[in-house]
Amino acid sequence: MRGEEIILEVQNLSKVYDKEVLKLEKFSFQRGKIYGIIGPSGAGKSTFLRLLNLLEPPTTGSIYFKGKAVSMNGDAALAVRREMTMVFQKPLLFRSSVSENVAYGLKARRFPKEKTQERVEILLAKVGLKGFANRNAGTLSGGEAQRVALARAVAFEPALLLLDEPTANLDPSNVELIERLILDLNRETGMTFIMVTHNIFQARRIAQEVVFLHEGRIVEVGETEKIFTDPQDQRTRDFVEGRMIY
Ligand SMILES: Nc1ncnc2c1ncn2[C@@H]1O[C@H](COP(=O)(O)OP(=O)(O)OP(=O)(O)O)[C@@H](O)[C@H]1O
Ligand SMILES: [Mg+2]
């Protein structure tokens, strides 16, 4: 049943830099849901996403994608990278046309060439950038660039999209557009989203499940409304009610 299947799981995951910044015993993400990861600055949110996306190896522990253990260099990593993409706070675009940027993900996954242009147009329309195909990506505003990054990331309908503060630098109209896109994609394709956000209001608007991370640990996880209206841990309450400085 949709929502019951585990897409990503971590076990005994830790990351040590100068000190231990992440330590998670076991956590599972279910397919088809939108997760919001919230927590104060330095809680380990970005580190968690980087480990999930196989950008960095964990110090200890394992990550399972659809039940299979994956690591940065293992054989499974390539297959996983085809199904999982990440969008960062600052969009990383190539210095080429908007169209080439969006088509990149399709090319890498061997999407039929003759259908690429049509797909790019559809995606650009979706992110409100009709007519931008031939613009140089370097000339876009921050909000436009982030929308191109998102169009590129979802071009091949990955099973899972990881987002690290995707709207932190954007104005309200771009924030709304991106939130709507995430909600639409989730509803239409069942894509799973794991989004780190500083903005507790954003988490409340779009997440179905919220994970509260504090000092590298998961303090509380729950259905979004429950986390905001009836948190079980005092630290969660302090954070969602704005008493924890961050
Ligand atoms: N490459 C690194 N080397 C050393 N320390 C690191 C490194 N990356 C992160 N850290 C430390 O790990 C801790 C967690 O950082 P992380 O970026 O995951 O936090 P965050 O929750 O994303 O914070 P923010 O909300 O400010 O983005 C911080 O104390 C940070 O200084
Ligand atoms: Mg961060």
Side-chain angles (χ1 to χ4, degrees), residues 139-150:
T139 68
L140 301 174
S141 74
E144 289 161 355
Q146 190 60 300
R147 279 141 65 189
V148 170
L150 205 62

Side-chain angles (χ1 to χ4, degrees), residues 15-22 39-50 56 89 164-165 196-198 213:
K15 185 71 188 179
V16 177
Y17 293 115
D18 307 327
K19 58 184 175 65
E20 187 171 66
V21 301
L22 194 70
S41 184
K45 304 181 298 295
S46 297
T47 303
F48 188 23
L49 276 200
R50 286 198 305 274
E56 269 183 56
Q89 181 175 341
D164 193 355
E165 309 263 10
V196 164
T197 179
H198 252 104
L213 208 61

Side-chain angles (χ1 to χ4, degrees), residues 185-205:
L185 279 163
N186 173 257
R187 204 184 43 239
E188 290 162 12
T189 69
M191 201 181 282
T192 309
F193 290 87
I194 302 175
M195 180 177 65
V196 164
T197 179
H198 252 104
N199 185 332
I200 53 175
F201 303 104
Q202 177 165 61
R204 196 167 184 175
R205 280 194 299 271

Side-chain angles (χ1 to χ4, degrees), residues 43-114:
K45 304 181 298 295
S46 297
T47 303
F48 188 23
L49 276 200
R50 286 198 305 274
L51 298 186
L52 289 177
N53 193 39
L54 312 180
L55 284 171
E56 269 183 56
T59 305
T60 68
S62 313
I63 298 171
Y64 299 86
F65 185 77
K66 293 184 184 168
K68 271 198 202 134
V70 290
S71 66
M72 267 178 80
N73 306 313
D75 291 343
L78 192 64
V80 173
R81 288 201 175 97
R82 293 215 163 104
E83 295 195 67
M84 179 157 83
T85 45
M86 181 142 161
V87 172
F88 300 88
Q89 181 175 341
K90 275 200 192 145
L92 303 165
L93 298 179
F94 309 112
R95 286 175 196 277
S96 54
S97 71
V98 164
S99 158
E100 280 172 82
N101 269 279
V102 178
Y104 176 81
L106 296 169
K107 256 191 215 159
R109 291 164 176 83
R110 303 210 171 82
F111 191 79
K113 239 188 186 151
E114 62 282 6

Side-chain angles (χ1 to χ4, degrees), residues 130-145:
K130 241 180 163 165
F132 277 65
N134 297 320
R135 273 278 291 279
N136 186 302
T139 68
L140 301 174
S141 74
E144 289 161 355

